[in-house]
Amino acid sequence: MGAIINGTSSVTLKTFDLLSVYTASKAAVNALTEVMALELAAFGIQSHVVLPGQAPGTAYSSMNLSPVQPRQSLSATSAA
């Protein structure tokens, strides 16, 4: 018996512009984790994914984003 834990991102739950490649790669890991859970269950191996949310850091300060409120899009942010 064992467990596999993959870490991706909560960005796969809500779409943002300018993150297409990042979001697609994280969504692929989510799908892989689900498939592994089904395929490896017979061997007593569990597969889980962790989706951490936003955290303060340099990305937020450089784009003037709040870690509490996700942005809808850069164009909407710059137009406001």
Side-chain angles (χ1 to χ4, degrees):
M1 185 159 170
I4 298 169
I5 301 173
N6 290 319
T8 65
S9 173
S10 60
V11 73
T12 61
L13 305 176
K14 182 174 175 77
T15 57
F16 297 99
D17 60 343
L18 303 178
L19 293 176
S20 58
V21 174
Y22 178 79
T23 303
S25 66
K26 296 302 182 179
V29 174
N30 291 350
L32 175 65
T33 303
E34 289 184 36
V35 171
M36 289 188 331
L38 294 172
E39 293 179 351
L40 299 176
F43 301 100
I45 300 171
Q46 299 178 349
S47 181
H48 304 279
V49 66
V50 177
L51 303 166
Q54 298 174 335
T58 56
Y60 290 102
S61 61
S62 66
M63 293 190 284
N64 296 321
L65 298 176
S66 166
V68 178
Q69 294 183 317
R71 63 189 167 97
Q72 295 301 316
S73 72
L74 284 179
S75 57
T77 304
S78 60

